[in-house]
Amino acid sequence: MNQPENQDNNKDNSGEDKSLENLLPIDEHVEEVAENGQKVVHRGVYLLPNLITTGALFSGFYAIIAGMHQNFESAAIAIFVAMILDGLDGRVARMTNTASEFGVQYDSLSDMVSFGLAPAMVVFSWGFAELGKFGWTAAFTYAACAALRLARFNTQVDVVDKRYFVGLASPAAAAIVAGIVWQWNDVLLSTELAMLVAIVTIFAGLLMVSNVKYSSFKGIDLRGRVPFVVMLAVVIGFAVVSSAPSTMLLVIFGIYGLSGPVLWCWRLFRPVEEN
């Protein structure tokens, strides 16, 4: 008489058998979401977008390891690979309708490693070690600003204009730091040049937590039709970047990083138009 009752206790509200799950040392992830105005409980995580996020996380981790072994070119390239994967996971999740709160938080933690810790560790190993306390202070300032930037972004994601980033996005800041390392990875830095790079690193970190607005380019319709000349320009752009990737990527992201302060100064000092 007790056997059917015990079998029912091994099932959750959805009727799924939990007897096998109880044998595992890791609990199943349960996430409550709103669908059509009702709360629905989902078990497990989506594989595809989180697999891409894991690839970005691995790229950031590899960059740290490569930097510790003085392989700075590979470390910088790994950070750019993490940028590509970071740009894909969210889009893949939206296109395949596999977005989840777990994926959002996992992506944020991956970003902290790939665009916060990895650039700071790589640039410190590359040129800041001889600067003493100022060197590790510059690297820590960048890493801390990246953490603050990601925390602020997560809390304001639903209230800000999606056309703009408030503060420099952490992948773009990481691209500036990694681009410098990639461009001059085999150069023996003087103390003066190392100081200059440290100041740029601090400045990139402060831009992340600033209120300076940057275009997010989220208004671009990737599914719509464009004139043929636009496609031609894209092909030429790929050719130019591939001819000297370290130089061109540093120039592109350097211009993007400076565009925010320049536009902010222009709005601040432009004359007020009379009605």
Side-chain angles (χ1 to χ4, degrees), residues 91 217-227 230:
R91 287 173 173 80
F217 301 106
K218 292 184 178 180
I220 300 176
D221 184 10
L222 298 178
R223 298 182 180 182
R225 292 180 176 271
V226 295
V230 174

Side-chain angles (χ1 to χ4, degrees), residues 80-272:
F80 280 98
V81 171
M83 288 180 55
I84 296 173
L85 295 175
D86 179 67
L88 287 177
D89 57 3
R91 287 173 173 80
V92 169
R94 289 187 292 270
M95 291 175 61
T96 58
N97 196 26
T98 54
S100 66
E101 184 61 26
F102 175 88
V104 172
Q105 299 304 323
Y106 186 33
D107 179 71
S108 182
L109 293 172
S110 172
D111 287 352
M112 182 57 208
V113 174
S114 300
F115 310 129
L117 289 178
M121 294 292 292
V122 170
V123 76
F124 177 83
S125 300
W126 171 67
F128 293 176
E130 302 299 326
L131 296 180
K133 292 183 179 179
F134 181 73
W136 63 257
T137 300
F140 173 75
T141 300
Y142 175 89
C145 287
L148 293 171
R149 154 74 189 175
L150 291 168
R152 184 178 68 175
F153 178 81
N154 289 344
T155 57
Q156 296 180 347
V157 65
D158 295 325
V159 297
V160 298
D161 190 345
K162 295 185 181 301
R163 297 176 300 172
Y164 301 99
F165 292 129
V166 179
L168 183 62
S170 57
I176 294 174
V177 176
I180 293 174
V181 176
W182 190 3
Q183 177 66 26
W184 293 292
N185 68 90
D186 55 351
V187 174
L188 183 61
L189 292 181
S190 63
T191 302
E192 293 76 13
L193 185 55
M195 289 282 290
L196 178 60
V197 176
I199 293 172
V200 172
T201 302
I202 294 174
F203 183 64
L206 294 178
L207 283 177
M208 284 192 283
V209 295
S210 70
N211 289 326
V212 176
K213 289 186 177 182
Y214 289 87
S215 175
S216 66
F217 301 106
K218 292 184 178 180
I220 300 176
D221 184 10
L222 298 178
R223 298 182 180 182
R225 292 180 176 271
V226 295
F228 178 77
V229 67
V230 174
M231 195 62 217
L232 180 61
V234 171
V235 173
I236 295 175
F238 273 112
V240 172
V241 171
S242 62
S243 64
S246 60
T247 302
M248 296 309 303
L249 289 173
L250 177 59
V251 169
I252 291 171
F253 284 101
I255 292 174
Y256 179 72
L258 290 174
S259 66
V262 170
L263 291 176
W264 180 81
C265 291
W266 180 76
R267 296 190 189 99
L268 184 65
F269 296 107
R270 68 176 177 176
V272 179

Side-chain angles (χ1 to χ4, degrees), residues 40-91:
V40 180
V41 175
H42 287 303
R43 300 170 62 80
V45 296
Y46 293 112
L47 177 61
L48 183 58
N50 292 305
L51 188 63
I52 298 174
T53 303
T54 302
L57 176 61
F58 175 79
S59 297
F61 176 77
Y62 174 81
I64 296 175
I65 299 300
M68 292 171 60
H69 288 82
Q70 309 297 308
N71 192 354
F72 299 116
E73 183 177 13
S74 296
I77 293 174
I79 293 174
F80 280 98
V81 171
M83 288 180 55
I84 296 173
L85 295 175
D86 179 67
L88 287 177
D89 57 3
R91 287 173 173 80

